Amino acid sequence: MPETSHVVRVSGVTKNFRIGKIEVQALKGVDLEIARGEYLSIMGPSGSGKSTLFNMIGGLDKPSAGKVFIDEVDIAQLDAYELAWLRCRKIGYIFQTFNIIQVMTALENVTLPMVFAGMNSDATVKKGMRLLEQVGLGDRHSHKPFELSGGQQQRVAIARALANDPAIILADEPTGNLDLTTGEEIIALLKRLSRERRVTVISATHDIKMLNVSDRVVWIRDGRIDKIENREELSISIGKIRVRE
Amino acid sequence: MLSVELRGEARKQRAAPAGEFTDEFPMTQEPLFGERPGKAPRADRLVVLPFATSVRIAYQSIKVRFFRSLITTLSLVLAVSFLSFVDVSNDIANGMLASGDPELRQSLLRAGYDFGPEEANVASTAKQRWIIILSLLVCVVGIVNAQLMAVTERFREIGTMKCLGALDRFVLRLFLLEAGMQGLAGALSGAAAGALFALAAGLGRFGLEAVREVGAGDLGLSIGWATATGVGLSLLGVLYPAWVAARMQPVEAMRVEQ
């Protein structure tokens, strides 16, 4: 199966929303193929359909027309149980607002997806500790979210996203609520993990820093793909910005 | 057909370790449901939340939001203590009647209890029953209100859990467990408080003689009944909010506005 190299395949996807009596077309036919292990950024102004496309790739929303394949499985065909399993095992989510579950410690947050996946508790603790060490929070495992800084919470979220060795990590503005330095650290961490674990990272972002590490950048405008740029093309333009700084 | 593809994919992953960090945790630790010998594959077993873990999460959730839980439970405590107070007061009056002591019978009549010369027990009056039912109704409405607010407050947490793979019924179960625990604690303390208050009032009105005549069985039954009612009401009150929570879409977790 040569096509399995595409971990995500979006073909002819449209999405209509009904707001009151007005029908709004958020996506007007998007085709996109994402290779395994790729680091992809989706850029676009707000209202461009970026979030809609992003949610579609994450199996959080179903297209009005067209198909979304994750690991060559058409997500529109999945029932609630299979979708939950997909979210649990295939996809790791990272949010702009971190979304660490407030009532749980860092370790419990990281182990929760493994509990859902049916791992026994000793194994979850062992693996959870290891993941926290990987993101540099090994000594913070028993802390509650409110005792952690924004950057640390996002690290916990990254560890949690990796819990079940997903094929895809979906990061929605992962640096949106972080300061410049912390954001850079988070980006470096994501990049390192994606390289080491060969995980596909897909992020929706406004952050220029993110472009530097991306293999490809997809620009969305007005519900369509405006252009797709490879890293080589990008580094030139980023280089210019850097020089100006 | 498609689930077969999913399982096939899972099998493939197991055969080829995804990276250097996964080697120590091969996926064989998890039973892959399509591979259990002699059992038909069941897709609904793919995501699990053990009951003990649900209880732990629910308990933690109450503990962390203790003040909030206290307020949610307070209306239940009050309503149940009222129910228990009325019941235990009647138990005391019945105990006094059953003792056959004419003096105690007289003091009951003086206190305003209404019964014929032949009657051997006191039942709660229609008015009492109505007031109890009303107070319990108000209490359920209070619980629904508080729990709906709790759901709104926690929509991001619920959405996140769903993104991590939680099924609707996990969320439902967590909310029911929380309400059950809150209900049990609140109803027990309310029933005990109501009973104590009724005994103290009986002591004040009729003296030690009267309170001594209360049957321990009757007392226990009243407290037990009040507690059970309280737990039932707590669960009844959380049903709709829990249903709202369980049906929440995971995409809610992505929403940025607080």
Side-chain angles (χ1 to χ4, degrees):
Chain A
M1 283 195 290
E3 68 267 61
T4 42
S5 58
H6 290 130
V7 70
V8 175
R9 196 152 58 86
V10 178
S11 83
V13 161
T14 66
K15 179 71 184 180
N16 304 325
F17 289 110
R18 187 173 279 281
I19 303 171
K21 282 179 181 167
I22 309 157
E23 184 110 345
V24 180
Q25 197 168 30
L27 289 179
K28 300 167 181 168
V30 171
D31 296 285
L32 183 63
E33 286 177 343
I34 303 171
R36 198 175 293 276
E38 196 173 10
Y39 195 116
L40 186 97
S41 291
I42 301 174
M43 296 279 272
S46 50
S48 60
K50 177 181 59 163
S51 302
T52 312
L53 175 64
F54 187 78
N55 292 339
M56 217 76 83
I57 294 171
L60 298 175
D61 210 344
K62 287 182 177 177
S64 305
K67 286 187 189 310
V68 177
F69 296 90
I70 295 176
D71 260 7
E72 292 310 312
V73 174
D74 181 0
I75 59 162
Q77 303 290 326
L78 299 181
D79 62 24
Y81 298 110
E82 288 166 324
L83 263 179
W85 184 84
L86 186 89
R87 288 181 195 127
C88 181
R89 299 287 293 270
K90 291 276 179 186
I91 304 172
Y93 298 90
I94 297 170
F95 308 93
Q96 179 175 356
T97 47
F98 320 136
N99 289 5
I100 302 300
I101 294 171
Q102 296 293 319
V103 300
M104 299 183 183
T105 64
L107 182 63
E108 285 164 340
N109 264 285
V110 177
T111 54
L112 189 64
M114 297 186 250
V115 172
F116 288 156
M119 264 171 93
N120 72 50
S121 67
D122 289 344
T124 60
V125 168
K126 207 170 154 197
K127 189 170 177 185
M129 285 302 295
R130 200 175 161 132
L131 283 166
L132 281 173
E133 275 159 26
Q134 271 180 272
V135 297
L137 288 175
D139 52 338
R140 294 261 173 172
H141 62 90
S142 59
H143 286 243
K144 286 269 166 63
F146 56 83
E147 299 165 322
L148 299 171
S149 71
Q152 287 169 333
Q153 289 194 40
Q154 197 61 300
R155 283 164 189 272
V156 174
I158 292 173
R160 183 178 66 186
L162 290 166
N164 286 325
D165 302 311
I168 307 164
I169 285 194
L170 276 181
D172 184 23
E173 305 265 1
T175 57
N177 280 12
L178 298 173
D179 64 58
L180 201 70
T181 333
T182 322
E184 269 170 1
E185 282 167 21
I186 291 295
I187 291 170
L189 179 65
L190 271 176
K191 181 66 182 170
R192 177 167 68 83
L193 292 171
S194 107
R195 201 175 44 233
E196 282 172 355
R197 306 177 136 240
R198 271 163 263 148
V199 182
T200 311
V201 176
I202 303 167
S203 72
T205 184
H206 282 116
D207 194 341
I208 299 291
K209 300 191 291 293
M210 203 67 155
L211 299 184
N212 220 11
V213 297
S214 304
D215 296 325
R216 274 198 303 165
V217 179
V218 177
W219 299 83
I220 303 280
R221 182 177 293 256
D222 218 13
R224 291 179 211 281
I225 292 182
D226 192 30
K227 55 182 172 179
I228 300 180
E229 288 179 309
N230 290 322
R231 196 216 299 258
E232 304 82 61
E233 301 161 319
L234 272 167
S235 49
I236 300 165
S237 57
I238 295 290
K240 277 183 188 161
I241 294 169
R242 282 280 155 96
V243 168
R244 232 176 274 162
E245 279 172 358
Chain B
M1 173 63 194
L2 274 150
S3 56
V4 171
E5 278 179 36
L6 276 174
R7 279 189 297 275
E9 185 53 37
R11 219 174 280 143
K12 243 188 305 176
Q13 277 194 356
R14 197 184 63 168
E20 52 184 304
F21 297 104
T22 54
D23 296 356
E24 202 183 310
F25 304 97
M27 292 178 90
T28 34
Q29 283 166 340
E30 307 149 55
L32 287 168
F33 296 93
E35 298 183 354
R36 289 181 310 171
K39 282 204 176 176
R42 281 187 51 178
D44 62 343
R45 295 249 183 103
L46 286 169
V47 195
V48 291
L49 182 61
F51 190 73
T53 315
S54 321
V55 173
R56 194 170 50 80
I57 294 174
Y59 173 71
Q60 266 179 329
S61 192
I62 295 175
K63 209 172 75 176
V64 168
R65 301 189 185 87
F66 183 72
F67 190 67
R68 165 109 224 181
S69 312
L70 206 67
I71 291 177
T72 312
T73 321
L74 209 57
S75 73
L76 185 76
V77 173
L78 291 174
V80 170
S81 69
F82 180 58
L83 172 66
S84 157
F85 174 80
V86 172
D87 275 357
V88 173
S89 296
N90 284 337
D91 287 342
I92 293 172
N94 280 328
M96 287 163 74
L97 278 181
S99 71
D101 187 338
E103 198 142 315
L104 286 178
R105 203 179 169 91
Q106 273 308 310
S107 54
L108 268 180
L109 283 171
R110 270 201 305 278
Y113 279 88
D114 189 24
F115 50 86
E118 304 302 313
E119 278 178 71
N121 59 48
V122 182
S124 52
T125 64
K127 203 168 99 188
Q128 272 182 335
R129 282 197 294 273
W130 269 114
I131 296 176
I132 289 173
I133 290 171
L134 265 181
S135 80
L136 295 182
L137 267 178
V138 170
C139 153
V140 173
V141 172
I143 292 174
V144 173
N145 180 32
Q147 293 282 17
L148 272 177
M149 281 181 64
V151 168
T152 318
E153 232 170 51
R154 291 164 70 176
F155 74 98
R156 178 163 290 157
E157 177 186 322
I158 299 162
T160 307
M161 280 208 175
K162 288 201 151 183
C163 280
L164 300 180
L167 294 169
D168 290 8
R169 70 166 109 106
F170 296 178
V171 178
L172 197 68
R173 194 198 294 160
L174 284 178
F175 270 83
L176 287 178
L177 276 171
E178 267 181 52
M181 288 184 208
Q182 281 178 353
L184 191 64
L188 253 181
S189 49
L196 279 178
F197 198 65
L199 287 174
L203 200 68
R205 271 163 108 190
F206 308 117
L208 195 61
E209 291 294 300
V211 177
R212 213 185 283 157
E213 299 295 336
V214 187
D218 285 345
L219 192 66
L221 208 64
S222 293
I223 293 178
W225 171 240
T227 308
T229 310
V231 174
L233 291 179
S234 180
L235 290 175
L236 185 74
V238 84
L239 270 185
Y240 174 67
W243 185 76
V244 170
R247 290 189 44 110
M248 190 167 280
Q249 292 302 307
V251 73
E252 296 287 333
M254 295 278 189
R255 301 260 153 85
V256 177
E257 64 269 25
Q258 296 286 335

